[in-house]
Structures are given as structure tokens and as C-alpha cells.
Amino acid sequence: MTAYDFDQIIDRRNTNSLKYDFAVERGLPADVLPLWVADMDFRAPEPVLDALRKTVDHGIFGYSDVKDGYYDAVSQWFLTRFGWQTRPEWLVKTPGVVFALAMAVRALTQPGDSVLIQPPVYYPFFNVIRSNDRKVVESRLVYKDGAYAIDFADFERKAAKEHVKLFILCSPHNPIGRVWTVEELRRLGDICRKHGIYVVSDEIHCDFTLPGHPHHVFLDAVPELTERAIVCTAPSKTFNLAGLQASNIWIPGEEIRKRFVREMSRCGYSGLNRMGLIACQAAYEGGGDWLDGCRTYLRDNLDFLRAFLAERIPQVRLVEPEGTYFAWLDCSGLGLSQEALDELIIRRAKLWLDAGHIFGGNGGQFQRVVLACPRATLRQALEQLAQAVSGV
């Protein structure tokens, strides 16, 4: 047992929490239990809270930037945890990874260009492409025997036929939980290099992998694309700091880095908020023990969910994750339409999950559940689901 109490129930209602306080505004019943957005119900690490308290006590919140200690903390984390050596000049700070994806789309492509993604995938990928007047090209992941794989032949065929200019990789993959192997990353990289495609790798969930499935930073696995690839990271998912909006984007290629920064300037961006910078540095400097305890707790939550489904809801199949803190549930065994499945989850089970169809691909018969909550919350959600399913 760690010094951190992940079983603690913290009431988040009436705190302007997007997760808890906006169900009605989004057309859902007020009493739904939310396990949808990737937002933990755990307190942030104490070193982060201490650093923020000290800043609040100082009482001045003027324009801020960072000194060498910030880079040292972030770079040491990736060196120690992933064996990846970075350089200070590669680092570009942004208020979020989705913001960075949009900047990359604008910097590396032109209106009308094709951008390739691999559905079912994090739905903002679609938004940042379409809202910038680019074309979404899908190379769907193949679902077979309860697991997902890349169709490399389809990937290369689409890359060539659609004249793809940019590939947005999700690694580890949200929502399916795949942690790509070095071999898979290299095959993707080889295709992109062959066809002159830029790569942006969203690695925001890199700190959440299961034993036997190590995360490999894309630029470490495919150094040949150093001048044509961007790696997006953030402490937001790792340490539950999403609301502080601080992300670290690594761009080794000088030319594409200049183009990326120029797009940020065109959007009027000038710098991160003081609290986000302080929290990020404190998290990477002192949050390791907290994260190790959190990862253990999340694995136990996954074990609990797996056993519960097998015993009580065998019609719902867990797609075994290799990483992230999501459970991707195959609900096709219930024999319901997409609309009826959503009705079951929301109106009968009184749960707020992420409906699989928003991720594209074959997601229509799936639901994404966030496991980053106290065990009692997860148990309650599963009991509500079991009761709803018993009436099908």
C-alpha cells in the first residue's frame, strides 16, 4: 500500500467539473455516474500541491516562463523512464496536446491536404483535421478475436492513393489500449518515410502501460524521421493536471519547429500560465512514487473489472488493454443497435461513458470506461450496468 489513498472518495460535484457538473447541459440525466472523460478522481501528487500552495501564498501571478530546471525535470523523466535523450532546443510548450495537433496540421499541411488517422481513435483527431479544412483519411485498425492490429497494406495503399501529407499517430492508442511495438512503429515509419509523410505522435498516455508492454517513443524507435516528426507529451493525464493546461511538444527538426512556432504566433499564443508550469516541473521532479502507486491501483481496478464482467456480465467483452487507463468494452454480445446501446447505458444503467461510435471505425458497438477512480466508484458503476443488462 502506498502513502497515497486512491480509495478516497472526493466529492467533485459543484466544482465546475466538466466530468461531473455538465451532464444536463450535454443532454444527459443529472444523476448519471460519470466515467467518461480522461480525468482521474485522484488528488494530484503532494509535491505538486506543495508547489502550488507556495505559489498561491506568494500571491503574485504575473507573466511567467521557465528556467533550466523545468527542462531538466521533464528531460530526466523521459531519459529515466523511457531511455529517450532529448535536447533543450527541441522543446516547445503549448497549452495542450490537442492544440499542438491543430498547430501541426496547420504548419505541415495546406487546406485540402490529406491527413491519415487510425480509427477507432481519440475523436479530437477528426476535429482538428476537418476544422482546418483538411481531408480525413482513415486506415482503420483491424479487430479480430478480441484484439486490434494495424493493416499495414491498407495503411500504405491509403498513404499513396490519397497523397497523404501528415499521419497522426496515437501511441499508446486511445481508446483501444494498444501499446505499439518497436517493429510496428518502424513499419509505420518506413511507410511514412517512403511517401514523404510527416508524423505527429500523440504520446500523452505513455506513462500508463501494463507489464510486458513497454512504451517506445516514436522518435527513438524511428530516428530516421527526426527531421519530419513531432512527439506530443504532457503531465496532464499522468498526474491529473489537465485543467492546468501545460504540454511539452518535442520537435527536433529545425525547419518544422519554426513552422510550428509560427502557427502558434498567428493564433496569438504567447505562453503558458504560471500554475501549469510550476505543477509540471514539480510533478516530474517529485511525482514518481505517486505514479507508481497509481499504476498499481489502476491494474487492480482492471483486474476487478475483468472478473466482474466474466461473472456478472459475460455478454460484455473486455478488449484487453496494454496501456492507458481505459477499458474498451465490446458490447456486441448484447445484440443491441448503436442507439439502443446508448439508451441502455445512459437511461437504464445511469452511466455517463464515452460511446464508442464517436471514435469512428468499428466503435458503434463499444463503450469506453475510464478506470481512474476509486474502487467503490467502479464497483457502483458495474453494479448499475449489470442491473441494466439483466433486463435485456
Side-chain angles (χ1 to χ4, degrees), residues 24-249:
V24 173
E25 288 84 348
R26 295 187 174 219
L28 283 76
D31 58 348
V32 288
L33 179 61
L35 289 88
W36 63 287
V37 69
D39 176 339
M40 299 185 186
D41 288 334
F42 308 137
R43 283 168 59 87
E46 200 61 32
V48 173
L49 300 180
D50 287 342
L52 293 175
R53 290 186 192 107
K54 182 178 179 180
T55 305
V56 170
D57 288 343
H58 183 258
I60 297 176
F61 306 97
Y63 296 115
S64 301
D65 206 337
V66 294
K67 295 287 189 177
D68 292 343
Y70 181 94
Y71 168 76
D72 293 343
V74 180
S75 63
Q76 188 61 35
W77 183 271
F78 283 93
L79 181 61
T80 302
R81 297 257 169 173
F82 305 105
W84 185 43
Q85 181 70 61
T86 64
R87 295 181 182 176
E89 63 269 21
W90 296 357
L91 180 59
V92 179
K93 302 182 295 298
T94 74
V97 166
V98 174
F99 175 89
L101 297 179
M103 293 302 100
V105 167
R106 294 168 65 90
L108 303 179
T109 66
Q110 298 295 320
D113 282 349
S114 295
V115 180
L116 192 151
I117 58 176
Q118 296 174 297
V121 72
Y122 184 47
Y123 45 90
F125 282 21
F126 294 92
N127 300 338
V128 298
I129 298 169
R130 290 171 177 153
S131 63
N132 283 293
D133 301 318
R134 274 65 169 178
K135 178 183 177 182
V136 172
V137 175
E138 300 183 14
S139 180
R140 297 187 175 190
L141 298 172
V142 178
Y143 182 64
K144 184 178 180 181
D145 298 328
Y148 283 89
I150 298 170
D151 184 340
F152 288 99
D154 179 74
F155 186 96
E156 182 157 21
R157 184 166 54 250
K158 298 282 180 59
K161 181 180 178 181
E162 301 290 345
H163 305 289
V164 169
K165 296 295 190 294
L166 173 67
F167 166 46
I168 303 179
L169 171 68
C170 197
S171 177
H173 194 94
N174 173 13
I176 67 171
R178 277 298 316 275
V179 176
W180 307 118
T181 65
V182 169
E183 292 73 22
E184 288 170 320
L185 294 173
R186 289 199 62 80
R187 287 186 70 180
L188 291 172
D190 287 345
I191 294 170
C192 290
R193 188 156 55 99
K194 176 181 176 181
H195 295 279
I197 298 170
Y198 292 105
V199 178
V200 178
S201 184
D202 174 359
E203 305 192 11
I204 199 168
H205 293 285
C206 64
D207 289 303
F208 296 103
T209 58
L210 291 164
H213 300 284
H215 174 75
H216 302 281
V217 177
F218 180 79
L219 278 170
D220 197 37
V222 193
E224 298 86 351
L225 283 174
T226 293
E227 298 297 317
R228 298 182 63 84
I230 295 172
V231 170
C232 301
T233 70
S236 53
K237 306 303 181 190
T238 303
F239 301 104
N240 204 23
L241 305 176
L244 294 179
Q245 300 191 330
S247 296
N248 300 298
I249 313 304

